[in-house]
Amino acid sequence: MKKKKGKRGLTGLLIVLVLLLMLFMALINFITDILWFIEMGYLSVFLKKLITQLEIGIPAFFVIGALSFLYLQAIKKGYFKKVESHSDDKAIGKRLNMFALALSAVFSLLATFFAVTRIWFEALKFKNGTGFGIADPLFNLDISFYTFKLELIKQLNNLAIGVILGFAAITVIYYMMLVSFRKPQMFEEVEVEDEEYDEDEERYSGDFKRGSSGAGGFGAFDLNDIMDKLNKFMGGGGFAGNAGRQNINQTAKPQKRLDDENFLNLLGIASKQIIFFGVVFFLMVGVKFFLMQYDLLYSSTGVVYGAGFTDVNITLWMYRILVVLSVLGAVGFVWGLAKKKFRNILIIPVIGLVVGGLGLGGGYVVQNYIVSPDELNKERPYLIRNIQFTQTAYNLNHVAERNFPANTDTLDWRDIENNSETISNIRINDYEPVKKYYNNVQTIRPYYLFTDVFVDRYMINDEYTQTFISAREINDSASSPIPQTWLNKHIKYTHGYGITLSRVDKITANGQPDMLIRNIPPTSQVNEIEITRPEIYFGRMTNDYILVKTDEKEFDYPMDAEHNAETIYDGTAGIPLNFLNKTMFSIRERNLRILVSTNLTKESKIVINRNIMKRVQTIMPMLTYDPAPYMVTVDGKLYWIVDAYTYSSNFPYSEPYVKGTTINYNYIRNSVKVVIDAYNGATNYYIVDPTDPIAATYKNIYPALFKDFDEMDKDFNFTHKDASLKAHIRYPSMMLNIQANAFQRYHMNDEVMFYQNEDLWDIAKEIYEVNQVPMVPNYYIMKLPREEKAEFVNSIPYTPRDKLNMTALLVARNDGENYGKLVLFRLPKGEIVYGPMQIEAQIDQHTEISKEFSLWSQAGSTYSRGNMFVVPIEDSLLYVEPVYLEATNSSIPEVKRVIVAYGDRIAYRATLAEALDELFPMLEEKPIDSTPPGGSEKPGTSEPPEQGMYTMSELIGLASDAFDNAQNAQKNGDWAAYGQYLKQLERYLNMLKLNE
């Protein structure tokens, strides 16, 4: 006996251990995620979801469970009280109680699970919502009701419907258990006369009989009797199936039939549940119709998005009538059952169907035969609402408009000279050619890769300069030439190294970017920029976990053909690897080497979530992130900046911006900037637009995550006084592109012009490479008209719909207090201002250009055009386009020509300076004084005295000085002086030839 008990105890212990092990395995990801959030300093962010779900789930579980149990107990009590049974075992009641408790627990658990997984974040938004200060014009509710509250109310209504259906399901299940455990005495034995009949009489009389089915069965009973009782209970008359039948040879025989009282009691108990579910059903339908009226704010029935004339005057009232009818239907349902006038229950639902049909039909008639013939007048107030709310949703209601004359004959060399900051920052290189160049020349080793090129601005030699910058990441994918061993992937090759930097306006003699920061280790030609921490442990290609501070040194960078520099990570990132953590991460990563590797020490750490996009998504998945993060260097270190967007699909009357196929946003803000340290992995979220209510709401929910913009530079303890991350935030092209597309129509404020589409715009098009494509936003450093100094901006041009001439230029400002401000430069409507495609056509028709393009193509090379840049200077527009040549035996495109267009004139030269010098020559200079030193003319000269000549040595000296001056002017970006000195050089060389 003791042995059996010992075996049972051992078996129980093993079962407990197995269950604990299974639970531990199931919680591995959860526990390791907690460890990572602790490392990041965002444990409260991670626990917010869990705590909120528990705050909702625990009360919901007990409330729903208690109500379910009490409800089932009430059913059992009524059943036992009103229904007689042959079984009267007291143990049955206890078993039914246990079953009711288990059924209630399972039902409550399922309902709670669906509740907490669907509504937890909606509940947080409901509780922490920030007001917009704008009310919708139809229901006069603040927009926050639609963005933060309405969705929760809808989900709670759906959840309530689900719970009611669940109650109906457990009611049926419990009744089945009641009948199974305690069979009702529904049949009584009576004496009836037997009869003789033929088959035809049985077939058509409706009289059916059954013989005894043996022990435990109900015995023979009359189905007609059951139907008769049921029909009487439902309020009808007796069942007439036996009427008029004549029986012959009848004899008395015992038979079972329904016990009238027991059967009616059983149905009477069920009637209470029927009443309850019927009433709740009608009320839920009423709530559904009540909520549907708010959906009219996102209707597309009328001429614009949002509630229109038909929605407000027909559909809205239809929903309101249906709400009232739903309440009346609930009352009618109770009254009909109480009075047993069941047909009357259907009266209200039928009226509701009629109202719904009339509403839909009436809406169609009104829209097509009343509104459409007089659409402008009928829809005028709703057009105004659509314009105002769409402009607000996309932040277009604060666009500053300025008239811009776009003169074509007033610009001269003085204006070019006065706008040297703009001219010296015109980009004559494009992203793709520069990326190809970096990957061909600056990767140094085949396992490095430049994934993208970013445009930013830096102070270079005390000048505000636009630059290309790119991060040299290590390729740890399967395509990498690095042997894909576990040691290499996770311990040895852990990080990228350094950046490249070049000016956007400078190229070498071969047409390639003129590098300012290059090589490994990075060497800088810029006094203001020195890279002291070049390692990139966190980037766009760092997809694998790594183990740092191990016995095996990491590869740092290549030194020569046979030697590599090695290092040991000295940053703050990583989770300590004690035995328990090793075990958990071995299970998480499905690799036992983490547990058994002899390279690990007591100080070893594991670094996970190194891909910057996965990193920000894991921390805060409620934001949407720009797919183009960019790198900056500040104070010798490298940082990634990711633009994050708040969005909503519930902004009333706002036209949706369709992104992809599943998401329709009609409100968006670039309110958050995320800064990630490329070495330590520190990830910080900053709110740059505190006026955004969604961002403010998120900050209320996650106060430990979101910081004010003013804290950005304070968090990094820069050693240099002028170091600033703020100076490198930029208005994202994705945001400007969304706004620019919405502004094509929503720049019109007059509802009549808007309705008639009188002034629709298109995004201007250009020839890029060899194809016609819509233009995209481009970054510039330029001095905007009426501004005092140059600034970093992002702009995109417009043309009228289906026209080629240019009509406007939308500019987003990026610097300092002007960050995020939009300026629209409107061009004169009464004048033709050439648009980009018209300039492209002029280029195609230019004899010299077309001839050279043809020659290049015939020579086996490939030419392509870069982006066309529309540059406002003073009161004019300048168009600049680089031309690339790519040889068949080379994969590096080279800038071979620069095209500059102004008005009807086009210059096509090897450099921007030469093209500008051709278009805007300086005023005729004073004649060069050719009199030799001393004032006397050389004897024997045949030249006129006023022309004179220098000696050969003097002319050589002057030519040398002019050449040196031209070189210095080019380095300083002084293109006007550069052209002047080249002219002087040409004159001195000609005079040398004359002397010869």
Side-chain angles (χ1 to χ4, degrees):
M1 194 71 180
K2 290 182 179 179
K3 289 182 178 179
K4 289 184 177 180
K5 288 184 178 179
K7 288 183 179 179
R8 285 199 296 268
L10 181 60
T11 302
L13 179 62
L14 288 174
I15 291 173
V16 170
L17 290 175
V18 169
L19 290 175
L20 289 175
L21 181 61
M22 292 174 62
L23 179 63
F24 176 73
M25 296 285 286
L27 293 176
I28 287 294
N29 285 340
F30 177 79
I31 297 171
T32 52
D33 282 343
I34 285 181
L35 293 175
W36 184 72
F37 274 89
I38 290 174
E39 178 210 338
M40 299 301 300
Y42 294 140
L43 180 61
S44 63
V45 176
F46 177 78
L47 294 178
K48 176 64 71 172
K49 176 180 179 179
L50 178 62
I51 292 172
T52 304
Q53 289 179 332
L54 291 175
E55 289 175 344
I56 296 172
I58 292 175
F61 175 79
F62 283 108
V63 169
I64 295 174
L67 289 176
S68 303
F69 182 73
L70 293 174
Y71 170 73
L72 296 179
Q73 288 295 92
I75 291 177
K76 188 194 79 170
K77 183 178 179 181
Y79 181 87
F80 273 61
K81 182 178 179 181
K82 294 189 177 182
V83 176
E84 296 182 5
S85 173
H86 293 293
S87 303
D88 197 20
D89 189 354
K90 294 182 178 179
I92 292 175
K94 293 182 179 180
R95 289 199 293 271
L96 286 171
N97 288 344
M98 292 300 295
F99 180 77
L101 185 62
L103 186 61
S104 300
V106 171
F107 169 63
S108 180
L109 185 63
L110 290 174
T112 301
F113 173 78
F114 283 107
V116 299
T117 54
R118 291 174 180 268
I119 70 171
W120 72 273
F121 193 64
E122 298 300 330
L124 286 174
K125 290 196 294 183
F126 189 99
K127 178 182 177 182
N128 297 279
T130 303
F132 279 71
I134 307 170
D136 78 278
L138 186 57
F139 302 106
N140 200 33
L141 296 172
D142 191 272
I143 305 301
S144 59
F145 171 78
Y146 304 100
T147 53
F148 304 133
K149 296 179 171 59
L150 181 58
E151 186 61 28
L152 176 64
I153 296 170
K154 287 182 177 180
Q155 291 194 17
L156 287 175
N157 184 55
N158 293 335
L159 182 64
I161 293 174
V163 169
I164 295 305
L165 292 176
F167 267 100
I170 65 173
T171 300
V172 173
I173 295 171
Y174 197 61
Y175 264 119
M176 292 172 63
M177 295 304 299
L178 284 172
V179 173
S180 175
F181 278 95
R182 192 172 187 271
K183 295 179 181 178
Q185 187 177 334
M186 295 178 61
F187 304 96
E188 59 182 354
E189 194 171 280
V190 294
E191 294 289 334
V192 297
E193 293 182 350
D194 200 0
E195 58 188 67
E196 295 181 4
Y197 57 89
D198 58 25
E199 292 182 1
D200 291 338
E201 184 179 6
E202 177 187 14
R203 183 178 303 155
Y204 298 108
S205 67
D207 187 23
F208 304 91
K209 300 179 181 179
R210 296 182 182 176
S212 175
S213 60
F218 289 122
F221 63 90
D222 192 346
L223 182 60
N224 287 327
D225 189 41
I226 296 176
M227 297 303 297
D228 187 51
K229 298 295 189 295
L230 184 60
N231 196 44
K232 286 182 179 179
F233 178 78
M234 298 296 289
F239 188 68
N242 298 328
R245 192 185 69 186
Q246 295 180 355
N247 298 325
I248 57 175
N249 299 326
Q250 296 177 345
T251 57
K253 185 177 180 179
Q255 189 178 11
K256 289 189 176 181
R257 68 178 183 184
L258 283 175
D259 184 316
D260 291 359
E261 184 178 355
N262 240 12
F263 180 72
L264 294 177
N265 283 339
L266 184 62
L267 293 178
I269 297 171
S271 68
K272 293 180 181 178
Q273 282 73 53
I274 294 172
I275 291 173
F276 173 76
F277 291 127
V279 169
V280 172
F281 171 76
F282 277 102
L283 293 179
M284 289 297 99
V285 169
V287 173
K288 188 74 174 177
F289 284 127
F290 180 80
L291 295 176
M292 285 175 69
Q293 66 180 338
Y294 297 119
D295 292 336
L296 294 177
L297 294 171
Y298 318 106
S299 169
S300 55
T301 302
V303 68
V304 291
Y305 191 80
F309 181 90
T310 302
D311 298 313
V312 172
N313 294 282
I314 302 297
T315 311
L316 177 60
W317 287 103
M318 177 190 74
Y319 287 150
R320 290 174 174 175
I321 292 171
L322 289 174
V323 170
V324 175
L325 288 176
S326 298
V327 177
L328 294 177
V331 175
F333 186 81
V334 175
W335 180 81
L337 284 182
K339 298 296 183 180
K340 296 186 178 180
K341 297 182 178 180
F342 304 108
R343 295 175 183 173
N344 294 343
I345 294 174
L346 300 177
I347 294 175
I348 298 299
V350 169
I351 294 174
L353 290 174
V354 172
V355 170
L358 290 174
L360 295 175
Y364 177 82
V365 171
V366 169
Q367 183 65 37
N368 287 278
Y369 298 102
I370 296 177
V371 176
S372 291
D374 190 25
E375 197 167 48
L376 177 58
N377 290 324
K378 291 292 190 294
E379 301 281 18
R380 184 187 296 268
Y382 311 108
L383 286 166
I384 296 172
R385 295 175 184 179
N386 175 258
I387 294 170
Q388 292 175 345
F389 279 78
T390 301
Q391 288 179 348
T392 301
Y394 295 101
N395 204 24
L396 299 173
N397 54 329
H398 297 301
V399 176
E401 295 193 10
R402 301 180 187 177
N403 292 324
F404 187 77
N407 296 320
T408 59
D409 57 358
T410 59
L411 208 61
D412 61 22
W413 68 272
R414 295 184 186 86
D415 298 313
I416 300 298
E417 193 175 57
N418 291 336
N419 288 271
S420 59
E421 287 180 295
T422 300
I423 298 299
S424 63
N425 282 288
I426 293 177
R427 182 154 56 90
I428 56 171
N429 250 322
D430 280 331
Y431 303 100
E432 287 302 318
V434 171
K435 187 171 77 170
K436 285 184 179 180
Y437 175 77
Y438 287 170
N439 277 308
N440 277 274
V441 176
Q442 278 296 308
T443 49
I444 311 298
R445 291 290 187 271
Y447 41 76
Y448 286 126
L449 189 66
F450 293 96
T451 59
D452 205 351
V453 174
F454 322 111
V455 171
D456 202 357
R457 67 282 201 198
Y458 291 88
M459 294 301 297
I460 295 177
N461 299 325
D462 296 323
E463 292 183 356
Y464 199 43
T465 306
Q466 188 175 189
T467 62
F468 287 122
I469 182 173
S470 189
R472 186 185 291 104
E473 295 196 62
I474 197 161
N475 183 3
D476 61 0
S477 66
S479 62
S480 173
I482 299 172
Q484 297 296 292
T485 63
W486 182 82
L487 182 71
N488 281 342
K489 285 174 65 69
H490 303 292
I491 294 180
K492 199 69 178 175
Y493 291 89
T494 57
H495 57 276
Y497 203 89
I499 61 170
T500 56
L501 187 78
S502 60
R503 293 180 63 125
V504 301
D505 64 311
K506 292 291 182 68
I507 55 175
T508 64
N510 294 326
Q512 304 296 354
D514 189 9
M515 307 296 296
L516 297 176
I517 298 179
R518 68 177 77 199
N519 299 337
I520 298 176
T523 58
S524 175
Q525 299 178 11
V526 182
N527 295 329
E528 294 91 339
I529 305 175
E530 192 69 34
I531 308 300
T532 58
R533 180 58 76 186
E535 300 91 342
I536 302 173
Y537 281 84
F538 300 86
R540 300 179 68 180
M541 297 196 66
T542 48
N543 297 310
D544 286 322
Y545 70 89
I546 58 171
L547 305 172
V548 296
K549 297 187 177 181
T550 67
D551 284 340
E552 181 72 32
K553 289 186 177 182
E554 306 167 44
F555 165 77
D556 200 21
Y557 60 88
M559 297 178 67
D560 52 48
E562 298 181 357
H563 300 89
N564 293 323
E566 294 183 323
T567 187
I568 294 178
Y569 180 67
D570 192 35
T572 58
I575 301 169
L577 284 175
N578 54 41
F579 178 77
L580 180 60
N581 289 353
K582 285 182 187 179
T583 303
M584 290 191 294
F585 280 103
S586 294
I587 297 171
R588 175 187 174 117
E589 302 297 341
R590 295 179 176 84
N591 200 311
L592 191 62
R593 293 184 181 91
I594 298 176
L595 182 62
V596 301
S597 175
T598 57
N599 296 113
L600 301 183
T601 68
K602 292 181 180 180
E603 295 184 353
S604 295
K605 294 181 178 182
I606 184 170
V607 185
I608 62 175
N609 294 333
R610 296 196 301 136
N611 184 292
I612 57 174
M613 298 309 293
K614 180 180 179 182
R615 198 172 186 84
V616 295
Q617 283 282 359
T618 303
I619 295 173
M620 186 57 185
M622 282 69 189
L623 298 170
T624 187
Y625 296 92
D626 197 298
Y630 59 99
M631 173 160 278
V632 302
T633 176
V634 178
D635 203 30
K637 299 178 182 177
L638 304 180
Y639 301 91
W640 293 97
I641 297 181
V642 185
D643 287 290
Y645 303 91
T646 58
Y647 61 92
S648 175
S649 301
N650 301 312
F651 202 90
Y653 281 103
S654 175
E655 191 78 25
Y657 169 74
V658 180
K659 180 185 178 184
T661 57
T662 59
I663 304 175
N664 292 334
Y665 299 155
N666 65 357
Y667 174 93
I668 189 166
R669 291 287 189 278
N670 172 226
S671 300
V672 179
K673 305 286 184 182
V674 188
V675 179
I676 304 169
D677 188 323
Y679 185 74
N680 291 308
T683 305
N684 294 278
Y685 288 70
Y686 300 98
I687 294 180
V688 296
D689 183 5
T691 65
D692 175 21
I694 296 181
T697 298
Y698 287 176
K699 185 177 182 181
N700 292 339
I701 297 173
Y702 299 105
L705 179 63
F706 293 101
K707 303 177 182 180
D708 293 333
F709 184 45
D710 291 339
E711 299 179 48
M712 181 178 285
D713 290 333
K714 298 176 184 177
D715 287 340
F716 295 94
N717 300 317
F718 296 131
T719 57
H720 195 280
K721 64 176 182 177
D722 296 326
S724 173
L725 277 166
K726 286 184 181 181
H728 294 281
I729 67 166
R730 63 185 195 182
Y731 200 82
S733 292
M734 175 178 164
M735 182 69 186
L736 183 60
N737 197 52
I738 292 172
Q739 291 175 305
N741 278 277
F743 209 54
Q744 290 178 103
R745 188 181 188 193
Y746 286 91
H747 67 275
M748 293 182 283
N749 294 308
D750 183 84
E751 67 275 10
V752 177
M753 292 182 63
F754 182 86
Y755 172 77
Q756 295 174 343
N757 290 329
E758 287 185 14
D759 193 21
L760 281 179
W761 292 348
D762 277 331
I763 302 295
K765 295 180 174 60
E766 64 177 344
I767 300 295
Y768 185 73
E769 294 183 343
V770 293
N771 302 311
Q772 180 175 312
V773 296
M775 295 184 73
V776 295
N778 273 303
Y779 291 102
Y780 303 89
I781 286 180
M782 64 171 63
K783 186 170 72 172
L784 293 175
R786 304 179 192 173
E787 299 297 333
E788 296 297 325
K789 61 180 182 178
E791 56 187 286
F792 192 58
V793 300
N794 198 1
S795 72
I796 189 167
Y798 289 107
T799 62
R801 178 64 54 89
D802 299 326
K803 303 291 183 182
L804 297 179
N805 58 290
M806 192 166 154
T807 189
L809 183 69
L810 183 64
V811 176
R813 306 175 73 176
N814 286 262
D815 291 347
E817 295 180 354
N818 292 320
Y819 175 81
K821 293 181 179 179
L822 299 180
V823 181
L824 182 76
F825 293 97
R826 281 185 178 269
L827 278 57
K829 286 188 177 182
E831 302 176 17
I832 296 297
V833 178
Y834 288 145
M837 279 306 299
Q838 290 172 316
I839 300 297
E840 300 281 18
Q842 291 183 25
I843 293 172
D844 288 333
Q845 295 166 9
H846 194 279
T847 306
E848 181 184 355
I849 298 175
S850 60
K851 179 181 177 181
E852 196 158 54
F853 284 176
S854 299
L855 289 173
W856 284 339
S857 299
Q858 293 171 6
S861 300
T862 302
Y863 83 91
S864 61
R865 303 183 191 179
N867 287 126
M868 176 169 284
F869 307 116
V870 182
V871 184
I873 295 181
E874 300 300 332
D875 290 331
S876 300
L877 290 176
L878 207 62
Y879 298 86
V880 180
E881 183 174 272
V883 178
Y884 301 91
L885 186 66
E886 187 171 346
T888 53
N889 60 350
S890 173
S891 60
I892 307 177
E894 299 175 354
V895 180
K896 285 301 181 185
R897 298 289 186 270
V898 178
I899 302 172
V900 180
Y902 176 62
D904 293 318
R905 294 179 292 156
I906 291 180
Y908 177 68
R909 289 291 178 263
T911 66
L912 177 62
E914 291 176 8
L916 289 172
D917 193 50
E918 179 182 332
L919 278 182
F920 308 105
M922 297 183 66
L923 294 176
E924 198 64 36
E925 301 177 47
K926 293 181 180 180
I928 296 177
D929 184 5
S930 58
T931 304
S936 61
E937 295 181 3
K938 291 182 65 177
T941 180
S942 60
E943 292 183 298
E946 65 272 17
Q947 189 165 358
M949 293 186 69
Y950 289 115
T951 64
M952 291 287 290
S953 61
E954 289 172 339
L955 285 173
I956 291 172
L958 290 170
S960 177
D961 290 341
F963 178 78
D964 292 340
N965 290 333
Q967 290 289 90
N968 291 331
Q970 184 185 39
K971 289 180 180 179
N972 295 328
D974 191 347
W975 300 108
Y978 177 75
Q980 181 180 354
Y981 289 128
L982 285 180
K983 282 186 174 183
Q984 289 180 1
L985 176 60
E986 183 180 8
R987 292 185 184 186
Y988 293 138
L989 293 175
N990 289 335
M991 293 173 71
L992 278 170
K993 289 181 181 179
L994 182 61
N995 273 352
E996 291 175 356

